[in-house]
Amino acid sequence: MSIVRIERKQRANLRRGATLLDVVTGSMLLSVLLIPSLHLVTRSQKMHRRLKLHESMLFEADQLLQQRKILLSDTVSFNKAWARPMSSPEPTKIVTDGGLKLAASVLVQRDTRIKSSKLLAITAQVWLDRNRNGRVDTDEPTEQLQSQWGVP
């Protein structure tokens, strides 16, 4: 009996992992592309939150102006405001639909820029009162709208 030996060609080992060079190259690409992208995303989210806050404050300031104009559309109310303009702003608190607590003030005074007309200047200011002192501080976000209202 003779034994026949069959030679098989060895296949090249297929590597199923990454070489050290592949890992280093991948890490460099991640650090060059991914990390700055993450910073951009976080900055974009901050800007979006700030924009949404200012948009809410402008909306509330506009609502305060419109409410005051409705009150002043009555001739008796207008004449009373003309005779005794406010010496200091009238403070109020606002809670938005999103649960954000804002401070606001409305000031109605005579507009003396045009001498011949009976105009009232209405100023509405809304701010995020972080320290809850009822005053606008320099580090607090604020929005202010002004309008005029003539005798009805």
Side-chain angles (χ1 to χ4, degrees):
M1 212 187 209
S2 88
I3 298 179
V4 180
R5 196 172 207 192
I6 303 174
E7 278 188 45
R8 294 184 186 171
K9 291 184 180 177
Q10 285 186 329
R11 293 184 189 176
N13 285 342
L14 295 177
R15 288 187 257 174
R16 297 188 183 260
T19 65
L20 184 59
L21 185 60
D22 294 336
V23 171
V24 169
T25 306
S27 323
M28 286 175 43
L29 283 174
L30 280 175
S31 67
V32 168
L33 298 174
L34 187 62
I35 294 172
S37 299
L38 289 174
H39 289 295
L40 267 171
V41 168
T42 56
R43 189 181 312 148
S44 173
Q45 288 173 342
K46 284 180 185 177
M47 292 297 288
H48 178 67
R49 282 192 301 270
R50 190 180 332 161
L51 181 64
K52 193 172 180 178
L53 171 65
H54 283 272
E55 189 177 79
S56 295
M57 290 190 301
L58 279 171
F59 175 78
E60 296 300 337
D62 184 52
Q63 292 299 310
L64 288 171
L65 277 180
Q66 297 306 322
Q67 289 170 0
R68 192 54 58 139
K69 285 179 179 181
I70 290 171
L71 289 173
L72 293 173
S73 64
D74 177 40
T75 308
V76 174
S77 296
F78 184 89
N79 289 334
K80 193 185 284 188
W82 179 261
R84 289 187 305 272
M86 293 179 173
S87 58
S88 63
E90 181 181 284
T92 87
K93 300 284 183 188
I94 299 171
V95 179
T96 64
D97 292 337
L100 186 63
K101 295 178 183 177
L102 301 172
S105 67
V106 177
L107 180 65
V108 179
Q109 294 182 317
R110 288 183 186 176
D111 191 350
T112 57
R113 290 179 286 188
I114 302 173
K115 303 274 186 213
S116 63
S117 65
K118 271 180 110 172
L119 283 178
L120 290 175
I122 308 168
T123 305
Q125 188 172 25
V126 179
W127 69 97
L128 182 62
D129 197 10
R130 290 184 177 135
N131 57 3
R132 296 186 179 120
N133 65 353
R135 293 186 311 261
V136 181
D137 298 320
T138 56
D139 63 332
E140 295 174 339
T142 182
E143 289 295 339
Q144 181 174 337
L145 293 178
Q146 294 178 330
S147 184
Q148 295 174 323
W149 191 252
V151 64

